[in-house]
Amino acid sequence: MVLRPSASEPRLPHSLARANSDFGSRSERHARHREEPPQNEQPEENWELRHGFEEDHNSEEYLNILNNQFYMYYTDKRHETGGKPRQDEYRSANAEWRQRDRVKTFIAALQICLNIGVDPPDVVKTDPAAKLECWIDPASSGASGQKTLETIGKQLQAQYESLSIRTRYKQVLDPSIEDTKKCCVSLRRNARDERILFHYNGHGVPLPTTSGEIWYFNKSFTQYIPVSLYDLQAWLASPTIYVFDVSHAGNITDNFERFNQKHLSEAADTLAKDPKATVQNYSDNIILAACGAKESLPTNPDLPADMFTSCLTTPVTIALRCFVLDSKLPLDVNLKDLTKIPGRLQERRTPLGELNWIFTAVTDTIAWNTLPTSLFKKLFRQDLMVAALFRNYLLAERLMRFNDCHPITIPALPRTHDHPLWSAWDLAIEMVLNQLPALIENEDGGTPYEYQHSTFFAEQLTAFEVYLTQGAPQKKRPDQLPIVLQVLLSQVHRLRALILLSRFLDLGPWAVDLALNIGIFPYVLKLLQSSATELKPVMIFIWTRLLAVDQSSQPDLLRDNGFKYFMAAMRPDAELIVINSSEHRAMSTFIITMLCRNFQQGQAAVLGPETFQACIDNLQDTENPLLRQWSCLCISILWKNFPEAKWYGMRVYAHDHLCDMSYDPVPEVRAAALHALGNFIGIPDPSDQVVQTEGDIAVNLMSMTPLDGSSMVRIELVVFFSVFVKRHEQKFMVCAFEDLVAAREKMQSPESRTDHSVGSSSGRTTPSSPRSEESEDKPVSGASIQATMWKHICIMSVDPHPEVAEKATMVVDYVHAKLLNSPLEQPTRQIMAQLRNMSRKAKPPPRQPSVLNLPKHGQQTPQQQTASPPQSPLPRTDSYISRTFSAVRSLTFGSSTSLAHSASKLGLDSPTPLSRASTLRQQGPGRSKVPAEWSRPPDAQDPQSNSTNYQPAKAPAPRGYQPPKDDADITLPLTSGFLEWCIEYFREPQMKPNDHEEPGSDDYNSRLWRRMRNERTLNTTQPLKSVAGTSRWDIPEGSFNNGGQPTKMCFHQFEDHLIVADDRDTVSVWNWQEGVRLNRFSNGNPAGSRISEARFINEDDQALLMTGSSDGVVRLYRDYDQEKKVELISTFRGVSDLISSTKNAGLVLDWQQGQGKLLCAGDMKVIRVWNAATEVCVREIPARSGSCITSITSDQVAGNVFVAGYGDGAIRVFDQRKRPVTAMTKSWRHHKQWIVNVHMQRGGMRELVSGSRNGEVKLWDLRMDAPIRTIVATKDMLRTLSVHEHAPIFATGSDRHHINFFNVNSAFLNSIDVGSRFLHIGQQHRSPVASTVFHPHKMTMAYSALGDTHVNLFTCLPKGIAAQEI
């Protein structure tokens, strides 16, 4: 999105981009400096902007800012998914492509019953008739019948060997019934559980009977002996494939299943009588029959007598002959020329080999498109012989139908003879036959001729590319996928085929599943042996997609050292002919990670100096966070449960580099580093070096607790803590016990709360405590790393994100449950009982936990760490453990004193105690003689509403979050789903443009509509600014009952949404134009706190709602206006050390959309600057005052300057471009009382307005030391100050029910009495004003009064003008 300055002149046409409400269009801003203003432009538009912004905004720096893209925040995948892996429908079935029950055709019986020279009695032959058997004419050979029969047998075997050379063949020529039985029984004995091929040529015996009998000879060839299929099945058993080349073959198939079921029934009866009995298998049989029950084989003399066999074994030859015979176009070839086609079937670059190659691709594709997937895999991917026979059978079905025969199969196949792809096959044959005369002449030494290869594969790849261009509508599987696999065999088209295949796999897991089922894996596995440099990028991409969906290929990568292909590619110096080489290195690192995942052989194979060094070097790549992320995860998985790798990592200081990554600007990288460091902890039999290293890591990571705003990172941090707790279980039990003791002491001696702390040396013991007198001055845990980490875990157990708090609570509950199963059980139960009783009697207001700022490296502890043996899972109970701990948590862990004590013992900086901060805030430097009420908020004495009709609302949860069951077992260490979530990145389309960038898509059209709406709003409201500054604001526009006391309100810039927060924790979303409530939900505040701020972010597109509460927590919501879809996107503690109360400023914040920064301040000594893109606190700027900050505002264009108002009346200006200690550039102390609000306009004249509780309103210029204008807005106490973002107008609300309106020239416009009869205030006729807010663009204002639940709207425009505006 492009930044837009605001202006009212007509907008120039430009490409699709969201309109930024603050600045207008970029083209408009440029035109503003090049052209004269339009004649109808208002005079105010030519006024000089405040603060010198007019001069600054003409600078090249400002114009460059406007040219930058406008980013949307909190819309990344981690926010869309809640950091949870999706339930992938393909994940559970992705290994089905592997044929676990693969069967091969071990042996074949070729039975030929011809009895040459003797025709069977029931066969009537035409004259002339078909004679060729295996392309041999028995009558013209001139040899004896037996010799000719042997020749035919050898030829049939040769034809079958062209299909499968590894199958053993046994010729059975003119067999007797005894020979047949002996042969079949012998075959099954030798084949065991493998498949048998039974080929039966019955051209010299009677036709099969209707009862399912086939015929053989007696030994003297004087009789024909029938053999029942029942007996044949008993001799051959299963698995067997039968080929019946005989007329009336349908009689066989009609009876085959009946006899087979009889065998199965008998086998079942036998097993029922004797479960140990040995029975034959009859469940896997396949039949290929030449024709139906009443059909005879073709007798055309130009065709072979065994045409069905010819189709099955010599498909190209019979196809060429049939094409010539059936062609209606003149061809310069005859049947004899067909034998002169150059080449061999196995050589794909020759004419004959290319035809065979095309035939394989065509038949595979036809089968893929017509057969069910399971049947296709069984017939075309399980057995090479079966696959070849069924490919050729498809041709037989087509050609035999032309001769009035309908072949039959068991299992039955759908019709394929009329598939459109047969036309491509006919074209390929025609192209070869058209060149055949020239090829024959060239072979005979005549005119040279170079064979023109078929365009079949190039055309099919083009068709596949068209399919991909369309985006695979409705996930329709592509017709050309089998052809793409065949093309991989050709070096000419290989690169193009691989690129198209990678685009197909990029469509998602369903595409990977299709490719694996079609048989891609052997092809891409073989290509790993290729040294072609141009293939490396696309091979890396393909293997990334395969392993993201199916991890079962780990042993295949180890075989033949295929994984080294990717280890070489992950090095920084790898030669990859691709622009985004770092992304391909990341994919190579991912492949190595998946090789090591839960696969010890893979870890052992990968372990070495090159792997660690490559990962460490890749961590320094500042351009590609994906590479850094997977480098961390690669190390994590490599040394997970692998001590040798951990020792190797220590030697190369891998853990130090990972600790550096915990401060990476990308949350995914930080989480990956935590994942790796968590897997590092736990080297068996730790030495002093290991203990020291693990302690340094823990100290380093504990500093992340208060300054990381990403819930995903904090979850990983809790998982790391759980690993460390499990490692030092006994020590954490001591820490937990001492904290319980200290909590009891604190509750028993309230006066010592400011002097004594949890686990501190000054805590008093009671007679029931087992601590000795020697230990009174020094707790056992002392200032150990375990004691400090225990505080952090307890702090995280009250984290605003429910999953972070849940996991941290599980760790706390685990340690407490261990205490109850230890020698400390009895004193622990006594302390918990005492705490429970005391908490019932007195519940002081909760205080928020302070922050322990730990350094990054270098802190040492003398503690020795020992690994504890694995324990059985502990039941998670809602017993007095959890209840007692919850009751005292706010007391025990709310004080910063204990953390300061722990920090001082470690030599760290300790945070300022709250008591001191509160004292400084109340006194203020140099203000000791001023009245105390001057530094109190105007609403300090407001009572909380206690309406009996108030209904608590439900708090939205993050996406994918499921609350734990109360009876769920607790097992440490906690498990993390981060790795699985990261893998999903490679399951999602990466080449496809986002929907909102694709013209015509729903998202694109919605975004286009919103842009036009935003532009229309800007154009219609800009001319009304002058009207607003001179008109009376007393025209009612509406009113509605919020149901709770409104305290904070916020208008959406473009949607008709008004956010109303009440004095508890409920947020209501209203359509203020229609007076309809769209949604109502709870903000999840703890008791005693309230919502202090509400903001919209990403308003120019799909806005998110941001709320800040007085406990310092910031929350963001998606779909805030939809009850069933509202979700918590992110939440973090914007500031700490806040007193959770309704009687102070609480959390004040300002959102800078242009820079993606959030300024947070309040009752603390620093102003925190949070970066929304990185989700970390990037700066802590000293507040330079002991008084609390009550309001904060900033320049929304450049975003460098911000202004803060204080409780003592001071206003300070800060510049973020300077160092934090020198960031304050100006301090104004002209106000003498609490600053109610300070606000800088986004547009208009960019006025900076401030107001204090004594009624003074001042206008400022950042370049001046004194206010440019002072207005006494009211003689009563000022409660609210609202400034219009673009119009020169502001309004003040007092405690005497008046709202006064002024323009920036200090002209008083009018006053509204909230007790007026036309405003809805219920019974409170003299109610103080509770809240006021202007619409950012429209001339509308909303206000609420104390003691009234209604929100009232009014405007300065008559109804006619308002209607035109709308």
Side-chain angles (χ1 to χ4, degrees):
M1 172 175 176
V2 180
L3 291 172
R4 307 176 173 279
S6 61
S8 59
E9 57 264 29
R11 298 183 180 272
L12 301 177
H14 53 276
S15 59
L16 173 61
R18 294 181 293 278
N20 185 292
S21 58
D22 301 334
F23 320 113
S25 67
R26 182 173 59 211
S27 58
E28 175 184 324
R29 171 60 68 179
H30 284 284
R32 186 173 182 176
H33 300 289
R34 295 194 308 264
E35 303 174 358
E36 294 296 328
Q39 295 180 358
N40 60 351
E41 187 173 349
Q42 299 295 333
E44 288 78 7
E45 293 295 327
N46 295 322
W47 292 354
E48 182 181 357
L49 297 180
R50 294 283 185 223
H51 323 300
F53 285 166
E54 182 71 23
E55 179 181 352
D56 293 342
H57 294 173
N58 282 325
S59 66
E60 187 67 24
E61 178 184 1
Y62 174 71
L63 295 179
N64 290 334
I65 292 175
L66 295 183
N67 289 332
N68 290 336
Q69 293 295 322
F70 185 90
Y71 294 103
M72 307 296 292
Y73 297 97
Y74 295 100
T75 57
D76 295 325
K77 181 191 172 185
R78 62 180 180 272
H79 306 116
E80 296 292 338
T81 63
K84 296 292 183 182
R86 295 188 180 96
Q87 294 299 324
D88 196 331
E89 59 183 343
Y90 290 95
R91 191 177 307 161
S92 60
N94 56 25
E96 292 182 357
W97 63 273
R98 288 187 179 271
Q99 297 294 335
R100 304 297 183 186
D101 54 347
R102 181 180 292 274
V103 180
K104 67 179 180 179
T105 302
F106 178 76
I107 195 168
L110 307 180
Q111 294 198 350
I112 304 176
C113 301
L114 291 180
N115 195 13
I116 298 174
V118 179
D119 293 335
D122 57 351
V123 174
V124 179
K125 292 187 177 181
T126 61
D127 189 17
K131 299 179 180 180
L132 299 179
E133 298 282 354
C134 296
W135 303 105
I136 297 174
D137 186 353
S140 63
S141 63
S144 63
Q146 183 62 30
K147 190 68 174 178
T148 303
L149 183 61
E150 292 176 359
T151 303
I152 293 173
K154 291 179 181 179
Q155 180 63 25
L156 179 60
Q157 178 174 336
Q159 292 175 188
Y160 267 109
E161 286 176 344
S162 67
L163 304 182
S164 177
I165 191 64
R166 295 184 179 180
T167 302
R168 296 166 53 184
Y169 297 93
K170 182 176 180 61
Q171 301 175 30
V172 186
L173 309 178
D174 287 347
S176 64
I177 187 171
E178 292 81 3
D179 296 336
T180 299
K181 179 178 179 180
K182 181 180 179 180
C183 174
C184 292
V185 173
S186 175
L187 290 179
R188 176 47 61 197
R189 182 173 59 251
N190 294 330
R192 298 184 180 179
D193 295 330
E194 300 291 352
R195 180 172 281 115
I196 296 173
L197 169 62
F198 180 81
H199 180 95
Y200 177 79
N201 182 326
H203 297 173
V205 295
L207 301 176
T209 66
T210 56
S211 60
E213 295 172 321
I214 58 176
W215 299 89
Y216 289 96
F217 306 100
N218 62 359
K219 289 189 176 182
S220 60
F221 291 91
T222 59
Q223 289 182 343
Y224 297 105
I225 308 298
V227 174
S228 174
L229 282 177
Y230 178 84
D231 296 331
L232 189 63
Q233 290 172 346
W235 300 336
L236 292 173
S238 293
T240 303
I241 178 170
Y242 298 87
V243 178
F244 293 107
D245 189 352
V246 61
S247 297
H248 293 201
N251 290 332
I252 301 173
T253 58
D254 291 344
N255 292 279
F256 191 89
E257 191 62 29
R258 176 170 59 88
F259 289 133
N260 199 55
Q261 288 298 328
K262 186 176 180 181
H263 281 296
L264 293 174
S265 177
E266 292 174 352
D269 292 342
T270 303
L271 289 176
K273 296 178 182 179
D274 183 7
K276 298 182 180 179
T278 303
V279 296
Q280 292 279 14
N281 177 26
Y282 299 98
S283 60
D284 185 11
N285 290 303
I286 300 172
I287 295 180
L288 299 174
C291 57
K294 297 181 179 181
E295 296 175 348
S296 298
L297 296 178
T299 59
N300 186 340
D302 292 327
L303 296 176
D306 60 346
M307 183 176 178
F308 186 64
T309 300
S310 298
C311 290
L312 295 181
T313 57
T314 57
V316 176
T317 304
I318 189 64
L320 287 168
R321 180 176 287 263
C322 291
F323 185 86
V324 172
L325 292 174
D326 297 336
S327 177
K328 295 178 175 57
L329 298 176
L331 297 173
D332 295 334
V333 295
N334 53 44
L335 295 179
K336 292 183 179 180
D337 292 336
L338 297 180
T339 60
K340 300 179 181 179
I341 298 178
R344 297 174 59 246
L345 292 176
Q346 293 77 16
E347 297 176 358
R348 288 185 291 272
R349 298 298 297 169
T350 64
L352 192 60
E354 187 179 60
L355 273 179
N356 187 58
W357 186 23
I358 295 174
F359 174 79
T360 302
V362 167
T363 51
D364 241 20
T365 304
I366 292 175
W368 165 255
N369 292 327
T370 55
L371 272 62
T373 302
S374 58
L375 185 58
F376 173 83
K377 290 163 61 177
K378 176 181 179 181
L379 301 182
F380 288 83
R381 291 296 181 263
Q382 191 179 82
D383 186 341
L384 293 178
M385 174 66 82
V386 173
L389 288 174
F390 269 91
R391 276 197 300 267
N392 300 344
Y393 171 81
L394 300 183
L395 177 68
E397 184 193 17
R398 184 184 188 222
L399 299 183
M400 297 287 284
R401 279 179 176 268
F402 293 153
N403 294 273
D404 299 326
C405 289
H406 299 79
I408 302 173
T409 64
I410 296 178
L413 301 185
R415 292 173 50 179
T416 60
H417 68 280
D418 55 353
H419 194 279
L421 203 55
W422 284 119
S423 299
W425 167 242
D426 292 338
L427 177 61
I429 292 178
E430 186 176 359
M431 292 181 64
V432 172
L433 294 180
N434 285 336
Q435 301 180 71
L436 184 56
L439 292 172
I440 294 176
E441 185 178 356
N442 180 60
E443 291 290 329
D444 294 340
T447 305
Y449 181 81
E450 183 177 355
Y451 174 67
Q452 301 298 317
H453 292 280
S454 173
T455 59
F456 171 80
F457 290 105
E459 293 170 352
Q460 295 300 317
L461 287 179
T462 301
F464 187 50
E465 188 172 5
V466 171
Y467 164 87
L468 294 173
T469 304
Q470 294 176 347
Q474 299 179 353
K475 296 184 179 180
K476 179 181 178 296
R477 63 184 191 178
D479 297 343
Q480 300 81 16
L481 190 57
I483 298 177
V484 175
L485 265 64
Q486 289 293 324
V487 176
L488 294 180
L489 300 173
S490 169
Q491 293 184 357
V492 177
H493 304 289
R494 181 175 295 162
L495 180 58
R496 183 187 178 194
L498 285 173
I499 293 175
L500 293 177
L501 181 61
S502 66
R503 290 177 55 186
F504 175 68
L505 298 180
D506 186 61
L507 294 176
W510 68 272
V512 177
D513 184 65
L514 285 178
L516 289 173
N517 279 284
I518 197 65
I520 185 183
F521 187 77
Y523 294 82
V524 295
L525 182 62
K526 186 67 176 177
L527 285 175
L528 291 182
Q529 308 304 321
S530 173
S531 59
T533 307
E534 66 274 9
L535 298 183
K536 283 188 177 180
V538 66
M539 285 296 296
I540 292 171
F541 187 93
I542 289 174
W543 269 94
T544 299
R545 263 52 191 177
L546 294 181
L547 287 174
V549 176
D550 176 40
Q551 197 179 333
S552 64
S553 306
Q554 294 168 314
D556 301 286
L557 282 176
L558 282 186
R559 195 179 305 119
D560 300 328
N561 293 325
F563 69 95
K564 292 185 177 180
Y565 188 92
F566 306 104
M567 288 191 63
M570 66 184 288
R571 297 199 305 266
D573 58 349
E575 296 182 3
L576 296 175
I577 308 176
V578 66
I579 297 177
N580 53 343
S581 60
S582 62
E583 186 170 348
H584 283 76
R585 296 207 312 273
M587 288 188 279
S588 299
T589 307
F590 163 78
I591 293 171
I592 298 301
T593 304
M594 298 303 291
L595 173 64
C596 298
R597 187 186 184 194
N598 302 326
F599 188 53
Q600 190 172 4
Q601 295 93 322
Q603 291 174 297
V606 168
L607 180 61
E610 64 277 5
T611 306
F612 271 104
Q613 193 58 48
C615 291
I616 292 174
D617 291 343
N618 289 335
L619 291 177
Q620 313 308 317
D621 190 311
T622 59
E623 300 295 329
N624 193 335
L626 186 67
L627 177 58
R628 301 197 301 273
Q629 174 186 343
W630 280 103
S631 297
C632 293
L633 291 175
C634 184
I635 296 175
S636 175
I637 303 304
L638 175 57
W639 65 23
K640 182 179 181 181
N641 301 325
F642 193 21
E644 291 83 355
K646 295 179 181 180
W647 279 108
Y648 200 100
M650 285 183 59
R651 288 195 290 270
V652 298
Y653 301 100
H655 57 283
D656 286 341
H657 293 282
L658 290 171
C659 286
D660 293 339
M661 289 297 102
S662 64
Y663 297 94
D664 193 272
V666 179
E668 288 84 352
V669 179
R670 300 198 299 272
L674 290 172
H675 191 279
L677 292 171
N679 284 335
F680 174 79
I681 302 296
I683 298 179
D685 303 325
S687 61
D688 293 344
Q689 180 186 4
V690 172
V691 173
Q692 182 66 46
T693 300
E694 293 183 351
D696 291 344
I697 293 172
V699 170
N700 182 83
L701 297 187
M702 279 188 284
S703 62
M704 299 176 64
T705 305
L707 301 179
D708 204 304
S710 172
S711 58
M712 182 173 64
V713 176
R714 299 201 302 276
I715 289 173
E716 289 303 310
L717 183 60
V718 175
V719 173
F720 172 85
F721 287 164
S722 72
V723 176
F724 204 83
V725 169
K726 184 66 176 178
R727 177 80 158 170
H728 306 279
E729 189 174 286
Q730 300 295 327
K731 295 182 180 180
F732 278 97
M733 290 168 58
V734 173
C735 297
F737 181 79
E738 291 183 345
D739 274 348
L740 289 174
V741 172
R744 180 186 60 187
E745 294 174 354
K746 181 181 295 186
M747 297 189 72
Q748 289 176 341
S749 304
E751 68 279 0
S752 65
R753 290 182 186 175
T754 57
D755 300 324
H756 297 193
S757 63
V758 178
S760 64
S761 59
S762 58
R764 298 182 302 172
T765 59
T766 61
S768 61
S769 173
R771 292 160 63 181
S772 62
E773 294 183 1
E774 291 80 8
S775 64
E776 287 190 59
D777 296 331
K778 185 175 182 181
V780 175
S781 62
S784 65
I785 293 176
Q786 289 80 11
T788 306
M789 183 178 288
W790 179 250
K791 302 298 186 299
H792 282 274
I793 295 173
C794 294
I795 290 173
M796 299 187 78
S797 68
V798 291
D799 191 273
H801 194 276
E803 186 171 359
V804 178
E806 170 208 325
K807 290 185 177 294
T809 302
M810 291 173 66
V811 178
V812 173
D813 289 349
Y814 177 90
V815 176
H816 282 177
K818 284 291 185 179
L819 270 177
L820 296 180
N821 290 279
S822 70
L824 296 175
E825 176 184 4
Q826 190 60 33
T828 300
R829 292 185 183 277
Q830 294 178 1
I831 296 174
M832 287 183 173
Q834 294 172 0
L835 289 173
R836 184 172 63 252
N837 294 332
M838 288 185 289
S839 64
R840 291 173 180 172
K841 298 178 181 178
K843 292 186 178 180
R847 303 180 69 181
Q848 293 304 309
S850 61
V851 176
L852 177 61
N853 296 313
L854 298 180
K856 182 176 179 181
H857 291 295
Q859 298 302 324
Q860 310 290 330
T861 64
Q863 301 295 324
Q864 299 295 324
Q865 303 179 9
T866 57
S868 57
Q871 302 290 334
S872 58
L874 296 175
R876 185 177 187 180
T877 60
D878 190 17
S879 62
Y880 60 86
I881 302 177
S882 300
R883 291 196 300 271
T884 302
F885 184 75
S886 300
V888 302
R889 181 183 293 158
S890 58
L891 288 175
T892 309
F893 309 113
S895 172
S896 62
T897 311
S898 61
L899 297 183
H901 175 73
S902 300
S904 63
K905 288 293 185 180
L906 288 172
L908 311 176
D909 295 334
S910 60
T912 303
L914 287 180
S915 57
R916 178 176 176 268
S918 302
T919 303
L920 291 175
R921 186 180 67 247
Q922 293 173 1
Q923 295 178 354
R927 296 291 185 95
S928 58
K929 297 182 180 181
V930 301
E933 62 269 13
W934 284 17
S935 297
R936 292 176 184 170
D939 57 353
Q941 305 299 324
D942 290 354
Q944 186 179 26
S945 62
N946 54 0
S947 173
T948 57
N949 297 326
Y950 187 87
Q951 297 294 329
K954 181 179 179 181
R959 178 171 295 182
Y961 172 72
Q962 295 293 336
K965 298 180 180 179
D966 293 337
D967 57 349
D969 293 338
I970 301 178
T971 305
L972 293 191
L974 301 175
T975 58
S976 168
F978 177 71
L979 177 62
E980 187 64 31
W981 180 84
C982 293
I983 294 173
E984 280 191 349
Y985 173 84
F986 295 112
R987 297 186 184 132
E988 299 169 348
Q990 304 298 329
M991 300 182 185
K992 179 183 176 182
N994 296 327
D995 287 342
H996 64 267
E997 299 173 354
E998 190 73 25
S1001 66
D1002 291 342
D1003 287 348
Y1004 182 91
N1005 293 337
S1006 299
R1007 179 163 291 181
L1008 177 61
W1009 179 87
R1010 285 191 290 268
R1011 181 184 73 93
M1012 296 175 63
R1013 177 204 60 188
N1014 300 351
E1015 295 281 2
R1016 184 171 60 254
T1017 301
L1018 294 175
N1019 290 334
T1020 56
T1021 57
Q1022 289 296 326
L1024 301 177
K1025 293 189 295 185
S1026 59
V1027 178
T1030 58
S1031 302
R1032 292 178 59 85
W1033 286 71
D1034 57 2
I1035 303 175
E1037 197 171 6
S1039 176
F1040 50 84
N1041 189 348
N1042 185 60
Q1045 174 63 60
T1047 56
K1048 293 292 179 180
M1049 295 185 292
C1050 180
F1051 277 104
H1052 192 290
Q1053 292 191 57
F1054 305 109
E1055 300 282 356
D1056 295 331
H1057 293 168
L1058 174 63
I1059 302 300
V1060 181
D1062 62 21
D1063 58 350
R1064 300 190 183 184
D1065 73 338
T1066 303
V1067 177
S1068 297
V1069 184
W1070 288 86
N1071 183 322
W1072 61 270
Q1073 292 277 22
E1074 301 178 2
V1076 176
R1077 178 151 51 196
L1078 304 177
N1079 193 16
R1080 182 175 180 269
F1081 58 89
S1082 170
N1083 194 51
N1085 294 353
S1089 63
R1090 60 181 173 85
I1091 299 174
S1092 58
E1093 295 284 359
R1095 296 284 192 277
F1096 287 107
I1097 70 174
N1098 305 339
E1099 283 183 275
D1100 294 349
D1101 198 68
Q1102 291 179 311
L1104 306 176
L1105 176 62
M1106 174 189 292
T1107 64
S1109 52
S1110 58
D1111 60 346
V1113 173
V1114 178
R1115 293 178 175 87
L1116 292 104
Y1117 300 96
R1118 179 197 299 112
D1119 297 324
Y1120 59 87
D1121 58 330
Q1122 303 180 53
E1123 181 179 358
K1124 296 182 179 180
K1125 297 180 63 177
V1126 59
E1127 292 176 339
L1128 179 67
I1129 299 177
S1130 179
T1131 178
F1132 57 94
R1133 199 171 297 279
V1135 295
S1136 54
D1137 288 331
L1138 286 184
I1139 300 176
S1140 180
S1141 171
T1142 60
K1143 308 304 180 186
N1144 56 25
L1147 170 65
V1148 295
L1149 55 84
D1150 189 51
W1151 167 249
Q1152 298 177 334
Q1153 182 72 47
Q1155 290 203 350
K1157 292 181 179 178
L1158 179 66
L1159 306 176
C1160 294
D1163 297 325
M1164 62 181 301
K1165 61 182 180 180
V1166 295
I1167 302 169
R1168 283 186 175 172
V1169 182
W1170 291 85
N1171 189 309
T1174 62
E1175 298 190 64
V1176 293
C1177 178
V1178 292
R1179 306 190 80 182
E1180 286 190 337
I1181 300 175
R1184 304 290 293 270
S1185 174
S1187 180
C1188 65
I1189 296 177
T1190 64
S1191 180
I1192 192 168
T1193 186
S1194 64
D1195 170 24
Q1196 290 291 331
V1197 180
N1200 297 317
V1201 177
F1202 67 90
V1203 182
Y1206 292 77
D1208 60 358
I1211 298 176
R1212 292 179 173 84
V1213 182
F1214 299 86
D1215 193 332
Q1216 298 185 61
R1217 292 169 293 188
K1218 296 186 176 183
R1219 295 173 54 242
V1221 294
T1222 60
M1224 191 187 76
T1225 60
K1226 194 175 292 293
S1227 178
W1228 296 315
R1229 309 188 67 86
H1230 298 75
H1231 285 291
K1232 303 303 180 182
Q1233 296 190 23
W1234 180 283
I1235 300 298
V1236 175
N1237 189 20
V1238 58
H1239 186 83
M1240 181 184 291
Q1241 288 183 311
R1242 297 183 180 182
M1245 296 296 297
R1246 311 297 302 281
E1247 297 285 0
L1248 176 61
V1249 184
S1250 67
S1252 61
R1253 63 171 282 158
N1254 64 354
E1256 286 187 351
V1257 177
K1258 298 181 183 292
L1259 278 70
W1260 307 87
D1261 191 302
L1262 296 177
R1263 297 167 294 182
M1264 301 181 181
D1265 296 330
I1268 59 177
R1269 192 170 289 112
T1270 299
I1271 304 170
V1272 179
T1274 179
K1275 296 181 179 180
D1276 302 317
M1277 184 173 65
L1278 183 71
R1279 292 179 60 91
T1280 68
L1281 169 66
S1282 297
V1283 183
H1284 199 284
E1285 294 289 1
H1286 296 86
I1289 184 75
F1290 65 88
T1292 62
S1294 69
D1295 65 341
R1296 294 296 182 91
H1297 65 268
H1298 281 107
I1299 300 177
N1300 297 330
F1301 293 86
F1302 299 84
N1303 65 23
V1304 295
N1305 293 325
S1306 71
F1308 174 75
L1309 300 181
N1310 67 288
S1311 177
I1312 293 179
D1313 187 345
V1314 298
S1316 301
R1317 56 182 177 83
F1318 58 83
L1319 295 180
H1320 202 315
I1321 63 166
Q1323 301 299 323
Q1324 300 294 329
H1325 295 288
R1326 311 296 289 180
S1327 298
V1329 177
S1331 177
T1332 58
V1333 62
F1334 280 104
H1335 191 283
H1337 297 292
K1338 297 182 179 181
M1339 303 306 131
T1340 300
M1341 183 181 185
Y1343 94 94
S1344 63
L1346 189 65
D1348 184 27
T1349 60
H1350 286 78
V1351 175
N1352 302 284
L1353 304 169
F1354 48 93
T1355 180
C1356 67
L1357 302 176
K1359 292 185 177 180
I1361 299 179
Q1364 292 176 9
E1365 173 196 353
I1366 296 173

